[in-house]
Amino acid sequence: MSDQFKQEAAERAAEDVTEGMRLGIGTGSTAEFFVQALAKRVAGGLNIVGVPTSERTRDLATELGIKLTTLDEMPQLDLTVDGADEFDPELALIKGGGGALLREKIVAAASERMIVIADGSKEVDALGRFPLPIEVVPFGLEATRRAIVTVLSDLGLPDVLVLRGGASQPFVTDGGHFILDAHLEKISDVKALATRLVAIPGVVEHGLFIDLATKAYVAGTDGVKTVL
Ligand code: ABF
Protein backbone atom coordinates (compact mmCIF):
# COMPACT_ATOMS: atom_id res chain seq x y z
CA MET A 1 0.00 0.00 0.00
CA SER A 2 2.74 2.41 1.00
CA ASP A 3 4.44 1.80 -2.35
CA GLN A 4 1.25 2.67 -4.15
CA PHE A 5 0.96 5.93 -2.20
CA LYS A 6 4.60 6.78 -2.88
CA GLN A 7 4.02 6.20 -6.57
CA GLU A 8 0.88 8.37 -6.61
CA ALA A 9 2.70 11.28 -4.92
CA ALA A 10 5.64 10.86 -7.29
CA GLU A 11 3.44 10.81 -10.38
CA ARG A 12 1.65 13.96 -9.21
CA ALA A 13 4.99 15.76 -8.86
CA ALA A 14 6.07 14.62 -12.33
CA GLU A 15 3.06 16.50 -13.71
CA ASP A 16 4.55 19.75 -12.34
CA VAL A 17 7.66 19.39 -14.48
CA THR A 18 7.57 21.65 -17.51
CA GLU A 19 9.55 22.00 -20.72
CA GLY A 20 13.14 23.17 -20.32
CA MET A 21 13.27 22.77 -16.54
CA ARG A 22 16.52 22.36 -14.68
CA LEU A 23 15.63 19.71 -12.17
CA GLY A 24 17.14 18.38 -8.93
CA ILE A 25 16.32 14.69 -8.66
CA GLY A 26 16.04 13.14 -5.20
CA THR A 27 16.99 9.82 -3.68
CA GLY A 28 15.02 7.01 -2.05
CA SER A 29 12.16 4.73 -2.99
CA THR A 30 9.64 7.57 -3.50
CA ALA A 31 12.13 9.51 -5.60
CA GLU A 32 12.68 6.38 -7.69
CA PHE A 33 8.98 6.37 -8.57
CA PHE A 34 9.46 10.01 -9.56
CA VAL A 35 12.40 9.10 -11.82
CA GLN A 36 10.25 6.46 -13.50
CA ALA A 37 7.35 8.88 -14.02
CA LEU A 38 9.73 11.54 -15.29
CA ALA A 39 11.36 9.08 -17.69
CA LYS A 40 7.95 8.37 -19.21
CA ARG A 41 7.41 12.08 -19.83
CA VAL A 42 10.90 12.40 -21.31
CA ALA A 43 10.20 9.44 -23.60
CA GLY A 44 7.07 11.33 -24.67
CA GLY A 45 9.15 14.32 -25.78
CA LEU A 46 9.60 16.48 -22.64
CA ASN A 47 12.99 18.19 -22.68
CA ILE A 48 14.55 18.66 -19.24
CA VAL A 49 17.95 18.28 -17.65
CA GLY A 50 18.48 16.78 -14.21
CA VAL A 51 21.02 16.91 -11.41
CA PRO A 52 20.93 13.69 -9.34
CA THR A 53 21.36 13.76 -5.55
CA SER A 54 23.15 10.40 -5.34
CA GLU A 55 25.08 7.88 -7.36
CA ARG A 56 22.07 5.57 -7.04
CA THR A 57 19.76 8.13 -8.62
CA ARG A 58 22.36 8.91 -11.28
CA ASP A 59 22.48 5.23 -12.30
CA LEU A 60 18.69 4.86 -12.46
CA ALA A 61 18.10 8.13 -14.33
CA THR A 62 20.85 7.31 -16.84
CA GLU A 63 19.42 3.86 -17.40
CA LEU A 64 15.98 5.36 -18.07
CA GLY A 65 17.27 7.91 -20.58
CA ILE A 66 17.02 11.13 -18.54
CA LYS A 67 19.56 13.76 -19.55
CA LEU A 68 21.82 14.62 -16.59
CA THR A 69 24.36 17.24 -15.72
CA THR A 70 26.17 18.42 -12.59
CA LEU A 71 25.68 21.37 -10.26
CA ASP A 72 29.02 22.70 -11.46
CA GLU A 73 27.69 22.86 -15.01
CA MET A 74 24.30 24.11 -13.87
CA PRO A 75 24.50 25.75 -10.42
CA GLN A 76 20.95 27.10 -10.41
CA LEU A 77 17.96 24.80 -10.65
CA ASP A 78 14.26 25.49 -11.09
CA LEU A 79 12.86 22.66 -9.04
CA THR A 80 13.97 19.76 -6.88
CA VAL A 81 11.68 16.81 -6.22
CA ASP A 82 12.69 14.55 -3.35
CA GLY A 83 11.33 12.28 -0.65
CA ALA A 84 11.58 12.79 3.11
CA ASP A 85 11.64 10.73 6.27
CA GLU A 86 9.37 13.16 8.13
CA PHE A 87 7.75 16.52 7.51
CA ASP A 88 5.92 18.86 9.89
CA PRO A 89 3.10 21.38 9.20
CA GLU A 90 5.66 24.09 8.31
CA LEU A 91 7.27 21.71 5.81
CA ALA A 92 10.42 21.37 7.88
CA LEU A 93 11.86 17.96 7.06
CA ILE A 94 14.02 15.20 8.39
CA LYS A 95 15.96 13.63 5.54
CA GLY A 96 18.95 11.38 5.25
CA GLY A 97 17.54 7.98 6.17
CA GLY A 98 18.92 6.87 2.81
CA GLY A 99 22.30 8.47 3.54
CA ALA A 100 22.24 11.08 0.76
CA LEU A 101 21.40 14.15 2.90
CA LEU A 102 24.46 16.23 2.00
CA ARG A 103 23.98 16.14 -1.76
CA GLU A 104 20.21 16.37 -1.26
CA LYS A 105 20.59 19.56 0.75
CA ILE A 106 23.12 21.14 -1.64
CA VAL A 107 20.82 20.42 -4.58
CA ALA A 108 17.68 21.61 -2.76
CA ALA A 109 19.42 24.82 -1.68
CA ALA A 110 20.42 25.49 -5.31
CA SER A 111 16.79 25.16 -6.42
CA GLU A 112 14.19 27.86 -6.60
CA ARG A 113 11.49 25.45 -5.39
CA MET A 114 11.42 22.06 -3.70
CA ILE A 115 8.55 19.59 -3.82
CA VAL A 116 8.47 16.83 -1.23
CA ILE A 117 6.81 13.58 -2.23
CA ALA A 118 5.68 11.20 0.49
CA ASP A 119 3.08 8.81 1.73
CA GLY A 120 1.00 9.97 4.68
CA SER A 121 3.05 8.04 7.24
CA LYS A 122 5.77 10.72 6.99
CA GLU A 123 3.49 13.51 8.25
CA VAL A 124 4.09 14.46 11.91
CA ASP A 125 3.12 17.27 14.28
CA ALA A 126 6.71 17.62 15.48
CA LEU A 127 9.90 16.22 13.96
CA GLY A 128 12.06 13.73 15.81
CA ARG A 129 10.43 10.32 15.88
CA PHE A 130 12.59 9.39 12.90
CA PRO A 131 16.25 9.38 14.03
CA LEU A 132 18.00 12.54 12.83
CA PRO A 133 20.97 11.73 10.56
CA ILE A 134 24.07 13.81 11.27
CA GLU A 135 26.86 13.47 8.69
CA VAL A 136 30.33 13.73 10.22
CA VAL A 137 33.91 13.45 9.00
CA PRO A 138 35.63 10.22 10.10
CA PHE A 139 38.59 12.18 11.54
CA GLY A 140 38.00 12.92 15.21
CA LEU A 141 34.76 10.97 15.31
CA GLU A 142 34.73 10.60 19.09
CA ALA A 143 35.42 14.30 19.69
CA THR A 144 32.62 15.22 17.28
CA ARG A 145 30.27 12.73 18.93
CA ARG A 146 30.94 14.32 22.33
CA ALA A 147 30.36 17.81 20.95
CA ILE A 148 27.00 16.68 19.56
CA VAL A 149 26.07 15.10 22.90
CA THR A 150 26.79 18.44 24.61
CA VAL A 151 24.51 20.25 22.17
CA LEU A 152 21.72 17.73 22.67
CA SER A 153 22.01 17.94 26.47
CA ASP A 154 22.01 21.77 26.32
CA LEU A 155 18.74 21.62 24.39
CA GLY A 156 17.17 19.07 26.73
CA LEU A 157 17.15 16.33 24.10
CA PRO A 158 18.06 12.66 24.58
CA ASP A 159 21.71 12.04 23.72
CA VAL A 160 21.39 8.64 22.03
CA LEU A 161 23.69 8.66 18.99
CA VAL A 162 24.17 5.55 16.89
CA LEU A 163 26.97 5.21 14.33
CA ARG A 164 25.20 3.96 11.21
CA GLY A 165 26.50 0.55 10.16
CA GLY A 166 28.29 -0.01 13.48
CA ALA A 167 31.89 0.59 14.56
CA SER A 168 33.37 -2.35 12.64
CA GLN A 169 31.75 -1.45 9.32
CA PRO A 170 30.42 2.11 9.37
CA PHE A 171 28.14 3.24 6.55
CA VAL A 172 30.10 5.58 4.25
CA THR A 173 28.27 8.34 2.38
CA ASP A 174 28.85 9.38 -1.25
CA GLY A 175 31.07 12.11 0.21
CA GLY A 176 33.20 9.64 2.21
CA HIS A 177 31.72 10.58 5.59
CA PHE A 178 30.02 8.70 8.43
CA ILE A 179 26.50 9.17 9.80
CA LEU A 180 25.48 9.41 13.45
CA ASP A 181 21.74 8.85 13.88
CA ALA A 182 20.33 10.85 16.79
CA HIS A 183 17.28 9.32 18.49
CA LEU A 184 15.54 12.46 19.71
CA GLU A 185 11.83 11.50 19.97
CA LYS A 186 10.57 15.08 19.62
CA ILE A 187 12.53 18.18 18.57
CA SER A 188 10.91 21.20 20.18
CA ASP A 189 13.15 23.86 18.61
CA VAL A 190 14.22 22.70 15.17
CA LYS A 191 16.03 25.92 14.24
CA ALA A 192 18.06 26.05 17.46
CA LEU A 193 19.19 22.46 16.97
CA ALA A 194 20.13 23.08 13.33
CA THR A 195 22.14 26.18 14.23
CA ARG A 196 24.04 24.44 17.04
CA LEU A 197 24.83 21.33 14.99
CA VAL A 198 26.36 23.13 12.01
CA ALA A 199 28.63 25.08 14.38
CA ILE A 200 30.45 21.86 15.36
CA PRO A 201 33.62 21.56 13.21
CA GLY A 202 33.35 17.81 12.53
CA VAL A 203 29.70 18.00 11.48
CA VAL A 204 29.39 18.20 7.71
CA GLU A 205 25.59 18.45 7.59
CA HIS A 206 22.46 17.28 9.35
CA GLY A 207 19.15 16.02 8.06
CA LEU A 208 17.01 18.97 9.17
CA PHE A 209 15.78 20.75 6.04
CA ILE A 210 14.28 24.06 7.12
CA ASP A 211 12.75 26.66 4.77
CA LEU A 212 13.69 24.59 1.73
CA ALA A 213 10.51 22.71 0.82
CA THR A 214 7.85 24.86 -0.82
CA LYS A 215 5.20 22.19 -1.38
CA ALA A 216 4.50 18.56 -0.53
CA TYR A 217 2.40 15.97 -2.34
CA VAL A 218 1.22 13.49 0.26
CA ALA A 219 -0.60 10.35 -0.79
CA GLY A 220 -2.96 8.28 1.33
CA THR A 221 -6.29 6.47 1.19
CA ASP A 222 -8.05 9.74 0.27
CA GLY A 223 -5.79 10.39 -2.70
CA VAL A 224 -2.97 12.91 -3.09
CA LYS A 225 -3.19 16.07 -1.00
CA THR A 226 -1.10 19.19 -1.42
CA VAL A 227 0.58 20.79 1.59
CA LEU A 228 1.85 24.34 1.13
C1 ABF B 1 15.49 10.42 0.61
O1 ABF B 1 15.05 9.12 0.75
C2 ABF B 1 15.99 10.73 1.92
O2 ABF B 1 16.33 11.98 2.32
C3 ABF B 1 15.05 10.08 2.83
O3 ABF B 1 15.89 9.64 3.83
C4 ABF B 1 14.56 8.93 2.05
C5 ABF B 1 13.09 8.74 1.99
O4 ABF B 1 12.96 7.43 1.60
P1 ABF B 1 11.75 6.74 0.93
O5 ABF B 1 11.26 7.62 -0.16
O6 ABF B 1 12.37 5.48 0.45
O7 ABF B 1 10.77 6.52 2.02
O8 ABF B 1 14.49 11.23 0.18
Side-chain angles (χ1 to χ4, degrees):
M1 201 58 168
S2 154
D3 266 4
Q4 188 193 319
F5 294 151
K6 287 176 179 185
Q7 185 170 2
E8 286 171 8
E11 286 177 352
R12 179 65 191 82
E15 289 170 18
D16 280 13
V17 179
T18 55
E19 181 69 17
M21 265 191 174
R22 301 163 298 177
L23 209 58
I25 307 177
T27 297
S29 60
T30 319
E32 282 174 16
F33 284 121
F34 173 73
V35 175
Q36 284 160 6
L38 183 65
K40 280 191 195 141
R41 294 206 54 204
V42 167
L46 181 75
N47 180 37
I48 57 101
V49 60
V51 172
T53 52
S54 66
E55 296 304 317
R56 215 169 90 201
T57 295
R58 177 190 307 284
D59 292 346
L60 179 65
T62 304
E63 192 186 309
L64 296 180
I66 295 170
K67 188 159 87 185
L68 297 178
T69 185
T70 63
L71 262 194
D72 294 316
E73 294 292 326
M74 195 166 274
Q76 282 184 302
L77 305 175
D78 300 299
L79 173 68
T80 286
V81 178
D82 202 351
D85 298 306
E86 276 186 357
F87 65 92
D88 74 8
E90 273 75 50
L91 287 186
L93 320 172
I94 286 183
K95 288 177 54 57
L101 65 144
L102 178 58
R103 292 190 188 184
E104 288 171 349
K105 194 177 280 190
I106 293 171
V107 169
S111 301
E112 203 174 306
R113 295 184 294 130
M114 177 189 190
I115 295 177
V116 174
I117 46 178
D119 67 80
S121 69
K122 310 284 183 71
E123 189 168 18
V124 296
D125 290 332
L127 299 178
R129 188 188 58 200
F130 191 92
L132 176 68
I134 304 171
E135 185 158 348
V136 298
V137 289
F139 179 85
L141 175 63
E142 181 54 23
T144 303
R145 197 191 64 78
R146 286 181 189 213
I148 296 170
V149 164
T150 301
V151 163
L152 298 177
S153 305
D154 285 355
L155 296 175
L157 291 162
D159 59 3
V160 184
L161 286 173
V162 178
L163 179 65
R164 194 177 295 183
S168 56
Q169 213 174 356
F171 172 86
V172 180
T173 67
D174 281 346
H177 308 126
F178 293 164
I179 290 183
L180 291 166
D181 288 304
H183 294 251
L184 304 175
E185 312 297 345
K186 185 179 174 185
I187 307 169
S188 43
D189 191 340
V190 170
K191 285 191 178 164
L193 178 58
T195 306
R196 292 287 306 271
L197 286 176
V198 286
I200 299 171
V203 170
V204 182
E205 251 315 333
H206 54 76
L208 291 170
F209 283 48
I210 303 167
D211 296 334
L212 285 170
T214 45
K215 177 157 78 172
Y217 287 128
V218 187
T221 42
D222 295 337
V224 180
K225 75 170 177 180
T226 305
V227 181
L228 292 168

